[in-house]
Amino acid sequence: MQSTGTFIATARLAGATPPPTHVLSQSIGLQGVGLLLDGIFGAAVGTTASVENVGLLGLTHIGSRRVVQISTAFMLFFSIFGKFGAFFASIPLSIFAAIYCVLFGLVAATGISFVQFINFNSIRNLYILGLSLFLGISIPQYFNGFNASADHFPINTPAGWFNDIFNTIFSSPPTVAMIVATVLDNAIDAKHNGGDRGLSWWVPFQKRHGDVRNEEFYSYPLRIHQYVPHRFFK
């Protein structure tokens, strides 16, 4: 979910069209390849899209692939030498905290900006938006407060894996807000409110040939299409 939102925010900050569904599928698939490589090389954590880099893109207004490729080469090169790692480790945590406040705030504002396409005069939309925001704040607050006082989360069954999954979900404000908003938006008279939901703006970009600029923004680099059969990109 985080990666999908990051892809959409990246497209918006880079001035590209909203990514079509096949682009999102390819992106998640390539991320899966990265996770496979992480497992092969024994990485402690998996691969995910970097929210910080999306915020940096918004600050610098640089969305060039070549810049990303050169930056990647620099990171791979400097990771070989411990002195460079020690230099970055010596940066005070307060500096990192200030940077994160700006970058994460910019990405959050980018997500909120998509709300502009809905009809704010619709009571239905106001109800969904208000309830999802309120529950997204109150439910995680309850779960975290319960854990602080009772030393365990509200969901405390003999199945530890079950507890971990649902306690993690309901302790995350963005996740709770997204679940509530998604369920309500698709359950409350969704069929007859496509215009009020903003779908008239969003849907045309979801098709492969929905916009003439899609090929310009989302074609693979380095002549990959010439070496990999086209059926793998559908």
Side-chain angles (χ1 to χ4, degrees):
M1 293 182 288
Q2 173 184 327
S3 297
T4 302
T6 303
F7 299 148
I8 297 174
T10 301
R12 185 164 182 80
L13 291 175
T17 58
T21 52
H22 75 279
V23 171
L24 294 176
S25 298
Q26 293 169 7
S27 301
I28 297 297
L30 290 175
Q31 187 172 317
V33 175
L35 289 169
L36 177 62
L37 295 176
D38 288 337
I40 292 175
F41 289 102
V45 295
T47 302
T48 183
S50 175
V51 178
E52 300 90 326
N53 285 343
V54 178
L56 187 63
L57 187 153
L59 289 177
T60 60
H61 300 284
I62 297 176
S64 171
R65 286 177 174 173
R66 186 57 53 83
V67 173
V68 175
Q69 293 165 357
I70 294 175
S71 300
T72 303
F74 270 105
M75 287 189 288
L76 291 174
F77 176 77
F78 289 141
S79 65
I80 302 174
F81 304 99
K83 295 295 183 181
F84 291 99
F87 169 75
F88 288 110
S90 65
I91 299 176
L93 293 179
S94 57
I95 302 298
F96 279 109
I99 295 174
Y100 271 48
C101 288
V102 175
L103 299 182
F104 278 100
L106 182 58
V107 175
T110 302
I112 296 174
S113 69
F114 284 99
V115 183
Q116 66 178 298
F117 300 107
I118 71 171
N119 179 15
F120 277 106
N121 292 319
S122 170
I123 299 300
R124 171 192 178 277
N125 291 343
L126 294 178
Y127 168 77
I128 295 173
L129 182 61
L131 187 61
S132 61
L133 290 176
F134 180 80
L135 293 181
I137 296 173
S138 58
I139 291 179
Q141 179 65 30
Y142 168 74
F143 269 69
N144 293 319
F146 191 99
N147 181 49
S149 60
D151 202 25
H152 64 82
F153 285 98
I155 302 178
N156 188 28
T157 67
W161 62 269
F162 181 86
N163 301 336
D164 292 340
I165 291 175
F166 286 94
N167 285 322
T168 300
I169 291 175
F170 291 112
S171 298
S172 171
T175 305
V176 174
M178 183 200 66
I179 293 174
V180 174
T182 302
V183 171
L184 293 180
D185 188 46
N186 289 278
I188 302 178
D189 199 17
K191 182 177 181 181
H192 305 290
N193 288 277
D196 289 343
R197 298 169 64 194
L199 297 181
S200 58
W201 174 85
W202 186 267
V203 170
F205 295 102
Q206 298 307 296
K207 301 178 181 179
R208 179 182 293 271
H209 302 293
D211 192 285
V212 294
R213 298 168 292 175
N214 283 347
E215 189 66 23
E216 173 188 354
F217 292 127
Y218 299 112
S219 60
Y220 276 90
L222 304 177
R223 300 181 180 179
I224 292 180
H225 282 288
Q226 297 181 13
Y227 303 107
V228 181
H230 186 266
R231 63 178 180 276
F232 292 111
F233 296 110
K234 293 182 179 180

